[in-house]
Every structure is written in structure tokens, then in C-alpha cells.
Amino acid sequence: MNTIEGVLQLRGDEKVAIISSRFNHIITDRLVEGARDCFLRHGGNEDLLDLVLVPGAYEIPFVLQKLLTQGDYDGICCLGAIIRGDTPHFDYVAAEATKGIANVTLKYGAAVTFGVLTTDSLDQAIQRAGSKAGNKGFESMSGLIELINLYQNLGV
């Protein structure tokens, strides 16, 4: 059986974007740091890494679509933090951000990863932004690097 897979290594000429929401920046700043660290540790060139900041997670799919339409990136890592509050606003934002990113990714067939936290509390978000549960920004970029490499191996 032939196995086709990606590895966790960049060639160094891949152009990558991180789209991150500003809302809950105490969390998203840590996610971005983790994603940047992963990109650099696995062969990425910092000059080819762009950070695009959007107001909140709801806006990520719109900007993702604009970037994919331009066709300048080998991959895009989407980061955000949606923390449950006392109103149903959390449910709407989380659902639309998730659906939007998935739909745009399918439409363009692009290498995109989903690193948007959806947590019940600030403590859970802190744990996932570099504390007890690791850094989900690092993990999301790790998945993106592997996906970019897989796409290269598939000739896509």
C-alpha cells in the first residue's frame, strides 16, 4: 500500500498568513505567538509570514475569502477566541465563524486550519493558549504545515 502524507517541515519558500481576531486579544496574542513559533521552528521564513488582524472571530471567514481570492498564500491559519458569556451571542458567533471558515475552505480547496477556541470560560481559554492544555495556535500551525506539505506531495 502506498501512503501519501505530509511531514512537519517547510521548504522555506511557502507564503503563509495568520488571520487572528483582536477580540479577547489576551488569548489570541498568545495563539499568534504559538503559531509564529511553530512556523519558524519548522523551516518557515519570517519574511513570508503575514499576520492579518480582524475585529472578531465572526469576521475571519470574510477576510479568509478575500485572501484566498488573491491566491498569494500557500496556507492560512485562522485563530480566535470565543468565550461563552451570559447571552446566546457566543452560540451565534461560534457557529457562523465555524461554518464560514469551513465553507470558504471547501470553496477554494485551500490549505486552511481552524484554531478558533470556543470555550466556556476565560480559564479554559488561558489553558489552551499556552498553559495546561498547550498552545492551540502552535497546534493549528503545525496542522497547516503538514497540510501544505501534503498538498505539495499531491501536486495540488
Side-chain angles (χ1 to χ4, degrees):
M1 170 173 53
N2 296 314
T3 302
I4 302 169
E5 62 183 339
V7 296
L8 198 52
Q9 185 62 43
L10 293 165
R11 293 183 314 239
D13 62 350
E14 295 89 350
K15 185 159 181 158
V16 171
I18 299 169
I19 301 174
S20 178
S21 64
R22 288 184 189 271
F23 202 80
N24 292 318
H25 74 89
I26 292 169
I27 302 301
T28 59
D29 290 351
R30 303 297 78 74
L31 297 175
V32 169
E33 286 175 15
R36 177 183 171 272
D37 180 40
C38 181
F39 181 77
L40 296 176
R41 283 180 189 240
H42 294 96
N45 178 342
E46 188 156 23
D47 292 335
L48 298 176
L49 179 64
D50 292 339
L51 173 62
V52 181
L53 297 173
V54 298
Y58 183 82
E59 290 78 22
I60 293 172
F62 305 109
V63 173
L64 175 62
Q65 182 166 316
K66 292 289 184 193
L67 294 181
L68 291 175
T69 299
Q70 294 171 355
D72 294 336
Y73 294 98
D74 294 294
I76 300 177
C77 179
C78 300
L79 303 174
I82 309 167
I83 302 169
R84 188 178 301 279
D86 295 331
T87 69
H89 185 257
F90 167 92
D91 298 309
Y92 302 125
V93 174
E96 294 308 315
T98 302
K99 261 192 306 191
I101 293 169
N103 287 337
V104 171
T105 301
L106 288 171
K107 177 179 177 182
Y108 288 89
V112 174
T113 53
F114 182 85
V116 179
L117 302 179
T118 53
T119 63
D120 288 323
S121 68
L122 178 59
D123 185 54
Q124 286 179 350
I126 291 168
Q127 289 177 23
R128 287 157 179 78
S131 180
K132 293 179 187 176
N135 186 306
K136 300 304 178 187
F138 189 100
E139 291 178 20
S140 186
M141 181 60 76
S142 174
L144 182 63
I145 291 168
E146 187 174 338
L147 192 58
I148 289 170
N149 189 272
L150 174 62
Y151 278 27
Q152 291 167 347
N153 291 341
L154 291 172
V156 215

